[in-house]
Amino acid sequence: MKVFKASLLILRRRAAQVAVYFFMFTAMFIIIASFTSQQVATDFSAVRPSFTVVNRDQDTPLTDGLLEFLRERGTERVFPDEKKALQDATFFHATEYILIIPEGFDQSVWSGSPLSLEAVSVPGTGKSYYLDSLANQYWNFVNVYHKANPSLSRADISEMALEALSMETSVEMVRFSDSRPIGELYESYNRVQSYILIVLTLLCVTSITMSFRRPDLHMRNLCAPITTRQKNLGLFLYCALVGFIVWLLTTAVGFFVSLPTLQGADGRLVALLFLNSFLYTLTALSIAMLLNYFISNPNTQNAIVNFLGLALSFLGGAFVPLEFLSEGLRAVSRFTPVYWYSEAVSDICRLTVLNKESLAPVWRSFAMELAFAIAILCLALAVGKSKNKAEKSFGSIRTEIEM
Amino acid sequence: MLANIYWKRILVAVRNRGTLIWTWIFPLMMATLFYFAFSGLNEAELLKNIPVGIVTSDEYKNDTAFQTTLTSVSDPEEGFLSLTEYDTEEAAKEALKGGEIEGFIHLENGSPNLSVTKNELNQTILKSFLDQYVQMKHTVVSLIEEGVADVSQILSLFETESWTEALSLSKNPPSETVSYFFALLAMVCLYGGFQGLDSVSYLQANLSSMGIRRTISPVKRFPMVVFDLLAALTVHMACLLFLLAYLVFILDVDFGANLLPVIVTCLFGSFLGLSFGAFVTAVSRAKEGMKVAVIITVSLTCSFGAGMMVSGINYKIAQTIPLLSWLNPAARISDALYCLYYYDGYSQYFLNLGILAVMALVFSIITAFFLRRQRYESI
């Protein structure tokens, strides 16, 4: 227990460093949460992409009708008719589609030779296609009713077009279970949690193992009246405790921040997500055990931890969903544990029914995570055995001496 | 003597493996990772063919108008649907459950019904397509019933070409990928903090033995500090130029037509990073590990706010908490690069540079206050 207690003491002295990371991650998540949809719908509700209408012509019943129609199907974002504001909105997807009504457009429609409307969007995207088709649809109906009944006023034409456009197809939301699905917020937290888990676990574990591998301490411990087994047991207990606390803290933060979106969700799905992150913590612990043999000072520790954390997270779909990665990269990412973690998160959040078939991909991902944990641990033990045999095991490990 | 200080400091910086890892190797690795990870990002939101099922009931087989409409939008080249036929509703439901299709259509009393499991864009587009069909059918029938026009006339009215034409507002297309690289460059600029940390550690007698030696050396303090920091800035700029060359010439990242203002932005960003690192080291008596953690954490948090991990978060922060965005140095660097890439004018670009310069000066002045006229009772 001496080693275990010493490990805790070292961690306590480095608590500030770990706390800085923890609070930074929590702050990041809260910022992400504040920008993420917290709605979980059980009935079908169409996606409402954001649009902007810039009317450089006069307000008429026809343009009012267009706005009414688009507002029913999209989310209006108002921006000043300034190039810079519209540029920013397009670049950062603050609005998916900007429709500019040119001066004289209303009169041109009425006279039968309509001017073109200007549409600003990221070309070829699904959202811009959808909104463009809505705008075209409205003006088509206006045109049809105007040509069929030229004597009708603009207000009547607009009303008739809107009435025709109000007809909708019935949509059945097929549910294969009674519970609500996991919300977008909790799903995105679970993805990002892989990054938080790996960084915190690696930091907590390597900080301590690095200290014990300092040549003076290592030699001192070799002649101390404790066996190698006792020392390793102390370190193992410390790793297990730290892994559990890191998992518990990160899981609790995500769970409580996302709690409003989890009302009515199937508890078994949440439990599966807990199990998933726990298994990933085991993998992170194995990686930490392996890395500890390659870290010689706090600077390389921070660099390796951050690079590995970010690299694995980007490759495994923690920040950018896997479907956005190229085919080649996705093939490479299958050889990382984060890939299987992210796959499990996606599979669990999309589970509509819990049975042997639907759970099979989840169990496969869990098995892969566990296999990674065991394989990396075996590698760590082999590397450890080889390094401890060599004279270079007393190499230059540099840590700040804690007084 | 001062040239000697300058040159020796460059040698020290180049031989410092820890700083080399952070400022040279780490950014190159991240850039390579971003390049591969985001290569498909711009195509991710493009509309692809939506897999949809149709239940081939007797009603469907008899409705030639609907069959023609579906066939017209299922063209592999120009259509947006990828249609699969199912004999029964149960078979279609199984396919839906297995995720083979995004939804399925079945006709009931002459109207199409859509069954889906998700509320996503593809389902919305499917519904909108069916809505259009129902609306047109209803309008044609009602106009014929009213005796307003004959069928061919009405159908010709619907055949208007698109009412809209695409307009581009800027010289370069919007790109999600490029904004990640802007934030990465911003992060590396802030990593100049490591050079600032080293410089002040080598100058302060209470921080290193080198500092003790230099404090008693017969060189005036001010030029010694200035040349030391200048050498640190030179090394960091060399690192940024190397990274920029890698991004532009190897990874083919588009920073706009003119690279000179990009380099100027990097210079201002490096100066800010350097002065920030010097500030953290000078004002605090914490251990080196803690100072490194503070520099990394602040740099990463600021880079997060500049959109390095979640694209567009910088814009959302700028819209909701503008003050936070203006005070975030990484966001200013990233925004300056964005201005060069996307805007025609330079006014906001210069505003960003001005803010960076003011921040750097504030950090430098506070650092100078801590570095001047120090006396140590004991070290």
Side-chain angles (χ1 to χ4, degrees):
Chain A
M1 291 306 277
K2 283 271 183 206
V3 173
F4 177 69
K5 282 180 185 167
S7 303
L8 288 183
L9 189 70
I10 299 171
L11 182 68
R12 206 175 326 155
R13 286 182 178 167
R14 296 185 181 205
Q17 193 184 341
V18 177
V20 165
Y21 276 100
F22 178 72
F23 287 115
M24 179 185 81
F25 293 141
T26 309
M28 276 184 190
F29 173 58
I30 291 170
I31 292 172
I32 292 172
S34 62
F35 293 127
T36 308
S37 162
Q38 308 220 354
Q39 302 291 317
V40 181
T42 45
D43 298 322
F44 180 77
S45 57
V47 172
R48 298 169 60 88
S50 50
F51 71 92
T52 301
V53 174
V54 177
N55 190 358
R56 291 176 182 163
D57 197 21
Q58 56 193 341
D59 284 334
T60 66
L62 294 181
T63 54
D64 290 346
L66 171 74
L67 269 176
E68 190 183 329
F69 176 61
L70 290 179
R71 278 178 192 145
E72 279 171 13
R73 285 156 179 80
T75 310
E76 190 183 12
R77 299 257 190 268
V78 180
F79 294 99
D81 188 7
E82 293 163 10
K83 192 177 176 188
K84 197 170 141 301
L86 299 178
Q87 279 178 316
D88 287 350
T90 315
F91 189 92
F92 292 109
H93 294 270
T95 181
E96 299 295 339
Y97 182 77
I98 301 172
L99 187 69
I100 301 171
I101 302 175
E103 206 177 326
F105 176 76
D106 181 79
Q107 198 50 48
S108 72
V109 174
W110 215 244
S111 61
S113 50
L115 294 169
S116 281
L117 297 159
E118 290 171 332
V120 182
S121 63
V122 181
T125 62
K127 285 175 184 168
S128 66
Y129 170 84
Y130 172 61
L131 288 162
D132 197 57
S133 78
L134 289 181
N136 273 292
Q137 199 181 342
Y138 173 80
W139 289 112
N140 267 337
F141 275 84
V142 166
N143 194 33
V144 165
Y145 282 114
H146 175 53
K147 285 191 175 162
N149 306 287
S151 58
L152 290 177
S153 68
R154 287 174 170 83
D156 291 337
I157 295 285
S158 170
E159 198 177 316
M160 287 171 78
L162 286 176
E163 196 187 322
L165 291 165
S166 65
M167 291 194 69
E168 289 191 39
T169 315
S170 77
V171 182
E172 185 198 357
M173 193 76 174
V174 183
R175 285 259 162 262
F176 298 100
S177 77
D178 295 333
S179 61
R180 282 171 52 162
I182 299 289
E184 189 190 336
L185 177 66
Y186 195 53
E187 184 180 346
S188 40
Y189 176 77
N190 268 275
R191 287 182 189 285
V192 178
Q193 194 186 359
S194 61
Y195 172 61
I196 308 174
L197 273 174
I198 199 153
V199 171
L200 286 180
T201 312
L202 292 187
L203 268 181
C204 291
V205 172
T206 53
S207 292
I208 275 64
T209 48
M210 192 168 59
S211 300
F212 276 95
R213 288 182 57 245
R214 278 166 53 109
D216 49 350
L217 255 180
H218 188 35
M219 286 186 274
R220 162 71 183 78
N221 285 340
L222 282 177
C223 62
I226 55 166
T227 61
T228 309
R229 181 172 291 184
Q230 281 174 315
K231 189 191 125 194
N232 287 343
L233 186 70
L235 281 176
F236 176 79
L237 270 179
Y238 165 79
C239 290
L241 183 74
V242 154
F244 182 73
I245 291 174
V246 166
W247 170 77
L248 196 68
L249 270 178
T250 52
T251 305
V253 166
F255 180 76
F256 287 112
V257 175
S258 319
L259 198 57
T261 67
L262 291 172
Q263 305 287 339
D266 192 336
R268 291 172 299 175
L269 297 184
V270 179
L272 281 173
L273 287 172
F274 285 175
L275 181 60
N276 188 34
S277 54
F278 183 76
L279 288 174
Y280 188 71
T281 311
L282 297 182
T283 315
L285 280 171
S286 302
I287 295 173
M289 301 298 279
L290 178 64
L291 273 189
N292 113 72
Y293 295 107
F294 301 98
I295 291 174
S296 55
N297 62 57
N299 235 341
T300 48
Q301 179 202 25
N302 272 312
I304 290 177
V305 165
N306 277 287
F307 177 72
L308 199 75
L310 284 170
L312 283 175
S313 306
F314 274 113
L315 272 177
F319 299 129
V320 181
L322 285 169
E323 55 264 31
F324 289 179
L325 301 183
S326 62
E327 276 297 322
L329 200 69
R330 234 181 298 170
V332 173
S333 73
R334 293 172 76 89
F335 293 96
T336 66
V338 195
Y339 173 87
W340 298 102
Y341 173 84
S342 299
E343 276 283 290
V345 171
S346 301
D347 289 339
I348 294 167
C349 293
R350 272 151 197 69
L351 276 179
T352 46
V353 61
L354 289 176
N355 60 31
K356 200 177 163 188
E357 288 82 34
S358 65
L359 282 171
V362 177
W363 298 136
R364 187 191 57 189
S365 297
F366 284 0
M368 288 303 292
E369 285 176 57
L370 208 56
F372 266 105
I374 294 167
I376 297 169
L377 183 68
C378 291
L379 190 63
L381 292 174
V383 170
K385 194 162 185 179
S386 147
K387 287 229 169 193
N388 286 337
K389 270 183 189 170
E391 270 182 36
K392 59 187 174 189
S393 67
F394 295 101
S396 56
I397 304 288
R398 183 175 66 85
T399 62
E400 289 171 51
I401 295 169
E402 308 285 351
M403 302 301 285
Chain B
M1 171 57 81
L2 294 175
N4 191 34
I5 290 176
Y6 180 78
W7 178 241
K8 288 284 180 343
R9 176 67 180 85
I10 287 179
L11 281 182
V12 168
V14 172
R15 287 171 185 168
N16 185 335
R17 285 206 300 178
T19 311
L20 274 185
I21 291 171
W22 273 113
T23 54
W24 290 76
I25 299 168
F26 186 68
L28 283 183
M29 286 172 153
M30 291 298 294
T32 313
L33 191 71
F34 278 15
Y35 175 74
F36 286 111
F38 302 138
S39 51
L41 201 60
N42 286 334
E43 284 80 42
E45 290 210 338
L46 297 183
L47 181 67
K48 298 178 187 85
N49 275 8
I50 306 170
V52 63
I54 175 78
V55 179
T56 52
S57 58
D58 291 341
E59 198 173 344
Y60 171 74
K61 285 172 187 162
N62 295 330
D63 194 336
T64 50
F66 189 57
Q67 283 182 43
T68 313
T69 309
L70 274 185
T71 313
S72 68
V73 291
S74 308
D75 183 78
E77 295 296 318
E78 292 176 2
F80 64 95
L81 293 187
S82 171
L83 202 64
T84 311
E85 293 187 343
Y86 296 96
D87 293 335
T88 61
E89 208 174 309
E90 282 65 38
K93 247 182 195 166
E94 275 304 308
L96 186 64
K97 192 174 166 184
E100 295 160 36
I101 49 174
E102 299 274 9
F104 68 86
I105 304 161
H106 58 284
L107 286 179
E108 207 174 298
N109 302 324
S111 299
N113 291 321
L114 179 67
S115 298
V116 294
T117 52
K118 291 182 266 188
N119 286 322
E120 292 176 3
L121 186 66
N122 280 350
Q123 286 72 13
T124 303
I125 292 175
L126 281 177
K127 179 180 176 294
S128 174
F129 160 70
L130 293 176
D131 285 349
Q132 279 188 39
Y133 172 77
V134 172
Q135 290 156 4
M136 278 177 68
K137 187 177 167 187
H138 172 78
T139 305
V140 170
V141 170
S142 60
L143 285 177
I144 290 169
E145 280 173 1
E146 287 168 23
V148 174
D150 64 37
V151 181
S152 58
Q153 267 183 316
I154 296 167
L155 290 176
S156 70
L157 291 177
F158 275 111
E159 281 169 6
T160 313
E161 291 275 313
S162 178
W163 288 75
T164 58
E165 66 178 28
L167 174 74
S168 176
L169 288 175
S170 72
K171 50 190 176 181
N172 287 318
S175 162
E176 280 205 56
T177 313
V178 80
S179 53
Y180 282 102
F181 288 103
F182 294 160
L184 177 69
L185 263 188
M187 184 188 78
V188 181
C189 285
L190 295 187
Y191 277 175
F194 291 109
Q195 294 292 354
L197 183 145
D198 286 346
S199 282
V200 174
S201 298
Y202 295 144
L203 285 166
Q204 287 287 74
N206 62 336
L207 296 178
S208 65
S209 49
M210 174 69 81
I212 299 172
R213 170 67 186 83
R214 294 178 82 181
T215 305
I216 56 166
S217 64
V219 184
K220 282 191 175 174
R221 187 79 168 156
F222 182 72
M224 184 165 66
V225 172
V226 168
F227 273 79
D228 199 290
L229 290 175
L230 210 56
L233 186 65
T234 309
V235 173
H236 196 60
M237 263 314 283
C239 149
L240 272 161
L241 288 177
F242 182 67
L243 175 66
L244 198 61
Y246 179 70
L247 290 174
V248 174
F249 299 116
I250 310 279
L251 301 186
D252 207 18
V253 178
D254 188 1
F255 282 93
N258 195 352
L259 275 182
L260 188 65
V262 177
I263 295 170
V264 173
T265 312
C266 290
L267 182 66
F268 275 70
S270 297
F271 179 40
L272 172 62
L274 190 77
S275 53
F276 170 68
F279 164 80
V280 170
T281 316
V283 299
S284 160
R285 290 179 66 89
K287 293 189 182 71
E288 189 196 338
M290 186 64 197
K291 287 174 185 169
V292 169
V294 168
I295 290 172
I296 295 168
T297 310
V298 171
S299 305
L300 272 179
T301 311
C302 290
S303 308
F304 167 77
M308 198 181 80
M309 289 154 196
V310 182
S311 174
I313 199 119
N314 46 337
Y315 179 76
K316 286 176 182 168
I317 293 174
Q319 295 298 306
T320 45
I321 323 165
L323 185 67
L324 193 64
S325 175
W326 285 112
L327 290 177
N328 180 353
R332 292 305 95 223
I333 298 167
S334 168
D335 195 56
L337 296 170
Y338 161 74
C339 293
L340 293 172
Y341 174 80
Y342 206 57
Y343 291 165
D344 300 323
Y346 285 89
S347 56
Q348 186 159 336
Y349 169 73
F350 285 120
L351 179 64
N352 282 316
L353 289 194
I355 293 171
L356 290 174
V358 169
M359 283 182 187
L361 281 175
V362 169
F363 284 131
S364 301
I365 290 167
I366 299 173
T367 309
F369 181 78
F370 275 90
L371 291 184
R372 67 196 280 272
R373 293 180 188 172
Q374 294 240 337
R375 298 284 182 274
Y376 304 97
E377 193 176 75
S378 67
I379 291 176

